PDB file of all heavy atoms in Angstrom:
ATOM      1  N   LEU Q  58      17.633   4.192  -3.293  1.00  0.00           N
ATOM      2  CA  LEU Q  58      17.112   4.004  -1.935  1.00  0.00           C
ATOM      3  C   LEU Q  58      17.704   2.725  -1.364  1.00  0.00           C
ATOM      4  O   LEU Q  58      17.602   1.656  -1.964  1.00  0.00           O
ATOM      5  CB  LEU Q  58      15.587   3.900  -1.944  1.00  0.00           C
ATOM      6  CG  LEU Q  58      14.925   3.660  -0.588  1.00  0.00           C
ATOM      7  CD1 LEU Q  58      15.116   4.855   0.325  1.00  0.00           C
ATOM      8  CD2 LEU Q  58      13.447   3.344  -0.758  1.00  0.00           C
ATOM      9  N   LYS Q  59      18.331   2.823  -0.195  1.00  0.00           N
ATOM     10  CA  LYS Q  59      18.937   1.661   0.451  1.00  0.00           C
ATOM     11  C   LYS Q  59      18.184   1.354   1.731  1.00  0.00           C
ATOM     12  O   LYS Q  59      18.014   2.218   2.593  1.00  0.00           O
ATOM     13  CB  LYS Q  59      20.410   1.927   0.763  1.00  0.00           C
ATOM     14  CG  LYS Q  59      21.138   0.730   1.363  1.00  0.00           C
ATOM     15  CD  LYS Q  59      22.615   1.029   1.588  1.00  0.00           C
ATOM     16  CE  LYS Q  59      23.350  -0.175   2.150  1.00  0.00           C
ATOM     17  NZ  LYS Q  59      24.788   0.105   2.372  1.00  0.00           N
ATOM     18  N   LEU Q  60      17.710   0.113   1.857  1.00  0.00           N
ATOM     19  CA  LEU Q  60      16.988  -0.347   3.043  1.00  0.00           C
ATOM     20  C   LEU Q  60      17.861  -1.340   3.796  1.00  0.00           C
ATOM     21  O   LEU Q  60      18.312  -2.329   3.213  1.00  0.00           O
ATOM     22  CB  LEU Q  60      15.669  -1.011   2.646  1.00  0.00           C
ATOM     23  CG  LEU Q  60      14.711  -0.183   1.781  1.00  0.00           C
ATOM     24  CD1 LEU Q  60      13.496  -1.020   1.409  1.00  0.00           C
ATOM     25  CD2 LEU Q  60      14.283   1.079   2.507  1.00  0.00           C
ATOM     26  N   THR Q  61      18.108  -1.081   5.081  1.00  0.00           N
ATOM     27  CA  THR Q  61      18.957  -1.960   5.890  1.00  0.00           C
ATOM     28  C   THR Q  61      18.177  -2.446   7.110  1.00  0.00           C
ATOM     29  O   THR Q  61      17.952  -1.688   8.055  1.00  0.00           O
ATOM     30  CB  THR Q  61      20.230  -1.229   6.346  1.00  0.00           C
ATOM     31  OG1 THR Q  61      20.911  -0.681   5.214  1.00  0.00           O
ATOM     32  CG2 THR Q  61      21.161  -2.180   7.089  1.00  0.00           C
ATOM     33  N   PRO Q  62      17.713  -3.703   7.102  1.00  0.00           N
ATOM     34  CA  PRO Q  62      16.978  -4.232   8.262  1.00  0.00           C
ATOM     35  C   PRO Q  62      17.883  -4.313   9.495  1.00  0.00           C
ATOM     36  O   PRO Q  62      19.056  -4.667   9.395  1.00  0.00           O
ATOM     37  CB  PRO Q  62      16.555  -5.634   7.802  1.00  0.00           C
ATOM     38  CG  PRO Q  62      16.708  -5.637   6.315  1.00  0.00           C
ATOM     39  CD  PRO Q  62      17.818  -4.685   6.013  1.00  0.00           C
ATOM     40  N   ARG Q  63      17.335  -3.987  10.659  1.00  0.00           N
ATOM     41  CA  ARG Q  63      18.076  -4.059  11.916  1.00  0.00           C
ATOM     42  C   ARG Q  63      17.692  -5.343  12.640  1.00  0.00           C
ATOM     43  O   ARG Q  63      16.918  -5.352  13.588  1.00  0.00           O
ATOM     44  CB  ARG Q  63      17.783  -2.822  12.749  1.00  0.00           C
ATOM     45  CG  ARG Q  63      18.229  -1.519  12.064  1.00  0.00           C
ATOM     46  CD  ARG Q  63      17.861  -0.286  12.863  1.00  0.00           C
ATOM     47  NE  ARG Q  63      18.457  -0.297  14.191  1.00  0.00           N
ATOM     48  CZ  ARG Q  63      18.256   0.665  15.090  1.00  0.00           C
ATOM     49  NH1 ARG Q  63      17.488   1.695  14.798  1.00  0.00           N
ATOM     50  NH2 ARG Q  63      18.828   0.588  16.276  1.00  0.00           N
ATOM     51  N   TRP Q  64      18.274  -6.460  12.170  1.00  0.00           N
ATOM     52  CA  TRP Q  64      17.937  -7.760  12.725  1.00  0.00           C
ATOM     53  C   TRP Q  64      18.371  -7.889  14.180  1.00  0.00           C
ATOM     54  O   TRP Q  64      17.776  -8.667  14.942  1.00  0.00           O
ATOM     55  CB  TRP Q  64      18.604  -8.862  11.893  1.00  0.00           C
ATOM     56  CG  TRP Q  64      18.170  -8.892  10.463  1.00  0.00           C
ATOM     57  CD1 TRP Q  64      18.937  -8.625   9.369  1.00  0.00           C
ATOM     58  CD2 TRP Q  64      16.865  -9.183   9.966  1.00  0.00           C
ATOM     59  NE1 TRP Q  64      18.194  -8.737   8.217  1.00  0.00           N
ATOM     60  CE2 TRP Q  64      16.911  -9.082   8.560  1.00  0.00           C
ATOM     61  CE3 TRP Q  64      15.654  -9.526  10.571  1.00  0.00           C
ATOM     62  CZ2 TRP Q  64      15.820  -9.311   7.755  1.00  0.00           C
ATOM     63  CZ3 TRP Q  64      14.548  -9.746   9.763  1.00  0.00           C
ATOM     64  CH2 TRP Q  64      14.639  -9.645   8.373  1.00  0.00           C
ATOM     65  N   ASP Q  65      19.394  -7.139  14.587  1.00  0.00           N
ATOM     66  CA  ASP Q  65      19.901  -7.276  15.945  1.00  0.00           C
ATOM     67  C   ASP Q  65      18.889  -6.853  17.000  1.00  0.00           C
ATOM     68  O   ASP Q  65      18.930  -7.315  18.137  1.00  0.00           O
ATOM     69  CB  ASP Q  65      21.207  -6.483  16.112  1.00  0.00           C
ATOM     70  CG  ASP Q  65      21.024  -5.004  15.827  1.00  0.00           C
ATOM     71  OD1 ASP Q  65      20.132  -4.670  15.024  1.00  0.00           O
ATOM     72  OD2 ASP Q  65      21.764  -4.196  16.406  1.00  0.00           O
ATOM     73  N   SER Q  66      17.940  -5.968  16.630  1.00  0.00           N
ATOM     74  CA  SER Q  66      16.948  -5.507  17.601  1.00  0.00           C
ATOM     75  C   SER Q  66      15.579  -6.148  17.398  1.00  0.00           C
ATOM     76  O   SER Q  66      14.613  -5.772  18.047  1.00  0.00           O
ATOM     77  CB  SER Q  66      16.810  -3.982  17.516  1.00  0.00           C
ATOM     78  OG  SER Q  66      16.328  -3.596  16.228  1.00  0.00           O
ATOM     79  N   PHE Q  67      15.501  -7.145  16.501  1.00  0.00           N
ATOM     80  CA  PHE Q  67      14.227  -7.775  16.170  1.00  0.00           C
ATOM     81  C   PHE Q  67      14.012  -9.001  17.058  1.00  0.00           C
ATOM     82  O   PHE Q  67      14.854  -9.897  17.109  1.00  0.00           O
ATOM     83  CB  PHE Q  67      14.219  -8.177  14.693  1.00  0.00           C
ATOM     84  CG  PHE Q  67      12.923  -8.794  14.232  1.00  0.00           C
ATOM     85  CD1 PHE Q  67      11.709  -8.162  14.462  1.00  0.00           C
ATOM     86  CD2 PHE Q  67      12.923  -9.997  13.549  1.00  0.00           C
ATOM     87  CE1 PHE Q  67      10.526  -8.719  14.026  1.00  0.00           C
ATOM     88  CE2 PHE Q  67      11.742 -10.572  13.108  1.00  0.00           C
ATOM     89  CZ  PHE Q  67      10.539  -9.921  13.343  1.00  0.00           C
ATOM     90  N   ALA Q  68      12.876  -9.024  17.775  1.00  0.00           N
ATOM     91  CA  ALA Q  68      12.582 -10.123  18.696  1.00  0.00           C
ATOM     92  C   ALA Q  68      11.690 -11.182  18.068  1.00  0.00           C
ATOM     93  O   ALA Q  68      11.392 -12.186  18.691  1.00  0.00           O
ATOM     94  CB  ALA Q  68      11.914  -9.575  19.957  1.00  0.00           C
ATOM     95  N   GLY Q  69      11.265 -10.969  16.830  1.00  0.00           N
ATOM     96  CA  GLY Q  69      10.396 -11.937  16.180  1.00  0.00           C
ATOM     97  C   GLY Q  69      11.146 -13.177  15.736  1.00  0.00           C
ATOM     98  O   GLY Q  69      12.376 -13.236  15.771  1.00  0.00           O
ATOM     99  N   GLU Q  70      10.397 -14.175  15.303  1.00  0.00           N
ATOM    100  CA  GLU Q  70      10.988 -15.443  14.889  1.00  0.00           C
ATOM    101  C   GLU Q  70      11.312 -15.414  13.396  1.00  0.00           C
ATOM    102  O   GLU Q  70      10.455 -15.093  12.575  1.00  0.00           O
ATOM    103  CB  GLU Q  70      10.020 -16.591  15.179  1.00  0.00           C
ATOM    104  CG  GLU Q  70      10.569 -17.966  14.812  1.00  0.00           C
ATOM    105  CD  GLU Q  70       9.584 -19.079  15.094  1.00  0.00           C
ATOM    106  OE1 GLU Q  70       8.539 -18.791  15.724  1.00  0.00           O
ATOM    107  OE2 GLU Q  70       9.856 -20.219  14.685  1.00  0.00           O
ATOM    108  N   VAL Q  71      12.547 -15.740  13.034  1.00  0.00           N
ATOM    109  CA  VAL Q  71      12.963 -15.833  11.636  1.00  0.00           C
ATOM    110  C   VAL Q  71      13.834 -17.078  11.467  1.00  0.00           C
ATOM    111  O   VAL Q  71      14.312 -17.650  12.442  1.00  0.00           O
ATOM    112  CB  VAL Q  71      13.760 -14.586  11.176  1.00  0.00           C
ATOM    113  CG1 VAL Q  71      12.888 -13.357  11.177  1.00  0.00           C
ATOM    114  CG2 VAL Q  71      14.985 -14.382  12.052  1.00  0.00           C
ATOM    115  N   GLY Q  72      14.032 -17.484  10.225  1.00  0.00           N
ATOM    116  CA  GLY Q  72      14.853 -18.656   9.950  1.00  0.00           C
ATOM    117  C   GLY Q  72      15.710 -18.443   8.724  1.00  0.00           C
ATOM    118  O   GLY Q  72      15.549 -17.453   8.001  1.00  0.00           O
ATOM    119  N   PRO Q  73      16.633 -19.371   8.441  1.00  0.00           N
ATOM    120  CA  PRO Q  73      17.563 -19.218   7.313  1.00  0.00           C
ATOM    121  C   PRO Q  73      16.868 -19.102   5.959  1.00  0.00           C
ATOM    122  O   PRO Q  73      17.404 -18.492   5.039  1.00  0.00           O
ATOM    123  CB  PRO Q  73      18.418 -20.490   7.378  1.00  0.00           C
ATOM    124  CG  PRO Q  73      18.277 -20.967   8.788  1.00  0.00           C
ATOM    125  CD  PRO Q  73      16.893 -20.591   9.215  1.00  0.00           C
ATOM    126  N   SER Q  74      15.671 -19.672   5.811  1.00  0.00           N
ATOM    127  CA  SER Q  74      14.989 -19.638   4.524  1.00  0.00           C
ATOM    128  C   SER Q  74      14.092 -18.414   4.365  1.00  0.00           C
ATOM    129  O   SER Q  74      13.428 -18.254   3.339  1.00  0.00           O
ATOM    130  CB  SER Q  74      14.149 -20.908   4.332  1.00  0.00           C
ATOM    131  OG  SER Q  74      13.131 -20.971   5.320  1.00  0.00           O
ATOM    132  N   TRP Q  75      14.060 -17.548   5.384  1.00  0.00           N
ATOM    133  CA  TRP Q  75      13.226 -16.346   5.304  1.00  0.00           C
ATOM    134  C   TRP Q  75      13.916 -15.291   4.472  1.00  0.00           C
ATOM    135  O   TRP Q  75      15.139 -15.247   4.362  1.00  0.00           O
ATOM    136  CB  TRP Q  75      12.949 -15.790   6.700  1.00  0.00           C
ATOM    137  CG  TRP Q  75      12.046 -16.660   7.534  1.00  0.00           C
ATOM    138  CD1 TRP Q  75      12.242 -17.974   7.843  1.00  0.00           C
ATOM    139  CD2 TRP Q  75      10.834 -16.271   8.169  1.00  0.00           C
ATOM    140  NE1 TRP Q  75      11.228 -18.428   8.640  1.00  0.00           N
ATOM    141  CE2 TRP Q  75      10.343 -17.399   8.849  1.00  0.00           C
ATOM    142  CE3 TRP Q  75      10.126 -15.089   8.231  1.00  0.00           C
ATOM    143  CZ2 TRP Q  75       9.155 -17.382   9.588  1.00  0.00           C
ATOM    144  CZ3 TRP Q  75       8.959 -15.048   8.970  1.00  0.00           C
ATOM    145  CH2 TRP Q  75       8.482 -16.195   9.637  1.00  0.00           C
ATOM    146  N   CYS Q  76      13.121 -14.407   3.884  1.00  0.00           N
ATOM    147  CA  CYS Q  76      13.688 -13.291   3.124  1.00  0.00           C
ATOM    148  C   CYS Q  76      12.807 -12.060   3.288  1.00  0.00           C
ATOM    149  O   CYS Q  76      11.648 -12.152   3.710  1.00  0.00           O
ATOM    150  CB  CYS Q  76      13.840 -13.651   1.647  1.00  0.00           C
ATOM    151  SG  CYS Q  76      12.261 -13.820   0.784  1.00  0.00           S
TER     152      CYS Q  76
END
Side-chain angles (χ1 to χ4, degrees):
L58 178 66
K59 183 177 182 180
L60 305 177
T61 306
R63 298 177 59 181
W64 299 114
D65 59 331
S66 63
F67 182 52
E70 182 181 352
V71 294
S74 63
W75 291 56
C76 69

